[in-house]
Amino acid sequence: MKRFLIAASAATFAIATSSQAFEVYTDYTPSKEVWNVTMVKVNPNRIDDYLEGLKQTWVSGCEISKKQGTLLDCFVYVSENPSNGAFNMLLVTKFPSAASLDPNAEQYKEFMTAMRAQLAKEKQDKLVEGYDELRTFVGDQNFRRLDFK
């Protein structure tokens, strides 16, 4: 029994020591890019309806932001099991850096001008009308990719 306790203590020390030695910029590097992931629960029988509106609003906004350089890419992921779990859709945006998320009045005005030129405000409002019946936002988080060395 005493040998077992000594071996267990040594294993615990080895694990604790190795986990403390794993260090940012030495063993891995966080990306400069930031991914924002929004989790959405869409009523399973309304996913296509929601996607139709997203294509005209959210996807259009992503394209404008990419042209502005404030956004690198956008993705929509839909669960293959839409009625399981807390959410069944992910809206993912990839930003060049966290600085891209800072408020910027000039970029906002430019974005809104481009968006309204593409889709009249009245049509935007009509498209998003009823979204509350289609979906619920579960939450969102920002992530950075880690590159291991």
Side-chain angles (χ1 to χ4, degrees), residues 7-32:
S9 295
T12 302
F13 178 77
I15 291 170
T17 303
S18 67
S19 69
Q20 290 173 354
F22 203 75
E23 192 174 322
V24 66
Y25 300 114
T26 301
D27 300 300
Y28 65 94
T29 304
S31 66
K32 183 175 182 178

Side-chain angles (χ1 to χ4, degrees), residues 76-117:
V76 176
Y77 296 94
V78 177
S79 172
E80 292 184 346
N81 307 40
S83 58
N84 292 344
F87 58 90
N88 54 9
M89 185 178 290
L90 299 174
L91 306 176
V92 181
T93 48
K94 181 182 178 184
F95 295 91
S97 69
S100 300
L101 300 169
D102 287 345
N104 184 313
E106 186 176 311
Q107 284 178 342
Y108 173 78
K109 289 174 187 176
E110 182 182 314
F111 173 85
M112 291 308 293
T113 299
M115 191 70 179
R116 288 191 179 119

Side-chain angles (χ1 to χ4, degrees), residues 114-149:
M115 191 70 179
R116 288 191 179 119
Q118 192 170 1
L119 188 63
K121 182 169 178 5
E122 296 77 34
K123 186 164 183 186
Q124 286 180 41
D125 293 345
K126 182 135 178 87
L127 281 169
V128 299
E129 190 177 284
Y131 269 9
D132 291 341
E133 297 168 14
L134 301 178
R135 57 94 175 109
T136 303
F137 286 110
V138 177
D140 72 319
Q141 295 185 25
N142 290 343
F143 293 90
R144 290 183 190 265
R145 186 187 70 232
L146 300 180
D147 294 319
F148 293 96
K149 296 181 178 187

Side-chain angles (χ1 to χ4, degrees), residues 42-97:
V42 182
N43 295 335
N45 57 343
R46 302 301 301 271
I47 289 175
D48 288 338
D49 297 328
Y50 189 53
L51 289 173
E52 180 181 6
L54 280 181
K55 184 172 186 224
Q56 296 177 61
T57 56
W58 188 79
V59 173
S60 295
C62 287
E63 294 303 319
I64 293 167
S65 294
K66 286 196 288 188
K67 287 177 186 170
Q68 285 182 315
T70 57
L71 193 62
L72 295 175
D73 219 337
C74 298
F75 308 94
V76 176
Y77 296 94
V78 177
S79 172
E80 292 184 346
N81 307 40
S83 58
N84 292 344
F87 58 90
N88 54 9
M89 185 178 290
L90 299 174
L91 306 176
V92 181
T93 48
K94 181 182 178 184
F95 295 91
S97 69

